[in-house]
Amino acid sequence: MHNEQELEELREVVNQTIKLGKRVIVNVALKDVSIHPESIINDDKITISVWYNDIQVKVEFNERSPIRYFPIGSQYFLKKTVYVSLDKVSGSGGEVMYNNENEGLAIGFNKAYLYQTTEQKQKTIDLIFELNNRNDPKYHKDQAIQQYINIREREAYYEMQIGDEFPSTYKISKKSGEIYDYKDPYRNFYPSPDSAPIGPPPVGGPWIELKE
């Protein structure tokens, strides 16, 4: 816990940071999420918002592409929170998607950035969908339908994850195009309507969105 003097110093830093304005704060945070910061600003699949409370200022990046492709050995943030103090990043973290044989490989060994659908990734996705749709019609997928699909490439196959919260999965052989290892663990599962418990409020008080 912070003492009163420390809290006052943190509030002052927050006030000075807010005075920089939303655009400057976002620009500081962008350096932590991409090697091409300007592309994040112009990506309509990424939402960006700035928040503050008594002791911190944060920028939240949320990537929501309906279809994502992860090359072998890749790792990307799907959601990332970057904390900004004056004109510097003071910390960050978020939700990471790995495509490593060793899922426990820490991102500290290789810098992970926010996921983006590039032209090259889209070309690969098109080829995978063409391969996928040569199979039984029950597996056919239409890219125009906004269904969340994550595709991990492996040495001999593509792993398809269909859906967000309760996904089904299967594999597509690169050589034969055959679909196998279909799994739908939640076919007969009905989530409870009960709400999740509400956690304690943030240490620095409620978050307020900075609009300008």
Side-chain angles (χ1 to χ4, degrees):
M1 296 294 291
H2 301 287
N3 60 42
E4 190 55 40
Q5 181 179 348
E6 291 171 333
L7 287 173
E8 188 57 37
E9 291 173 353
L10 289 170
R11 291 190 193 101
E12 180 58 26
V13 171
V14 167
N15 288 335
Q16 293 301 318
T17 303
I18 290 173
K19 287 180 181 179
L20 296 174
K22 180 178 179 179
R23 179 177 297 181
V24 172
I25 293 170
V26 169
N27 285 339
V28 172
L30 280 170
K31 300 171 185 177
D32 195 68
V33 299
S34 176
I35 56 176
H36 301 295
E38 66 283 352
S39 68
I40 300 291
I41 294 292
N42 298 317
D43 195 324
D44 60 4
K45 297 181 180 66
I46 296 174
T47 60
I48 305 172
S49 56
V50 179
W51 304 80
Y52 68 93
N53 62 13
D54 286 345
I55 63 174
Q56 290 178 308
V57 177
K58 66 178 181 179
V59 183
E60 293 188 344
F61 298 89
N62 188 5
E63 200 286 331
R64 298 299 287 175
S65 293
I67 303 167
R68 304 186 186 105
Y69 161 69
F70 301 93
I72 297 173
S74 64
Q75 47 193 16
Y76 293 100
F77 278 98
L78 304 184
K79 296 179 181 179
K80 190 166 189 180
T81 299
V82 180
Y83 294 90
V84 175
S85 180
L86 297 177
D87 60 349
K88 296 178 181 174
V89 171
S90 59
S92 64
E95 176 188 338
V96 182
M97 179 72 79
Y98 299 91
N99 186 20
N100 301 315
E101 292 298 330
N102 178 7
E103 292 292 338
L105 182 64
I107 64 169
F109 293 103
N110 294 294
K111 178 72 172 179
Y113 290 108
L114 197 68
Y115 181 87
Q116 285 185 275
T117 301
T118 63
E119 183 177 342
Q120 185 57 50
K121 285 194 183 82
Q122 187 58 52
K123 288 180 179 178
T124 304
I125 289 171
D126 292 341
L127 291 173
I128 295 170
F129 268 65
E130 182 180 345
L131 189 65
N132 181 89
N133 290 351
R134 292 175 190 167
N135 286 274
D136 189 294
K138 71 179 181 180
Y139 294 110
H140 287 187
K141 299 290 179 292
D142 183 350
Q143 292 193 54
I145 297 174
Q146 299 295 296
Q147 181 179 21
Y148 288 111
I149 300 175
N150 290 321
I151 305 170
R152 290 183 177 90
E153 182 175 3
R154 302 298 192 183
E155 290 294 340
Y157 61 88
Y158 297 107
E159 183 179 83
M160 305 286 286
Q161 176 183 309
I162 314 300
D164 196 6
E165 293 187 26
F166 307 107
S168 58
T169 62
Y170 57 85
K171 299 171 183 175
I172 308 174
S173 169
K174 289 183 177 179
K175 185 175 182 180
S176 67
E178 176 191 4
I179 285 178
Y180 61 102
D181 282 357
Y182 177 81
K183 296 178 183 178
D184 186 3
Y186 296 102
R187 180 179 298 174
N188 299 315
F189 176 79
Y190 295 93
S192 169
D194 295 339
S195 300
I198 299 175
V203 174
W207 291 101
I208 301 169
E209 185 172 6
L210 181 64
K211 299 291 188 179
E212 299 294 339

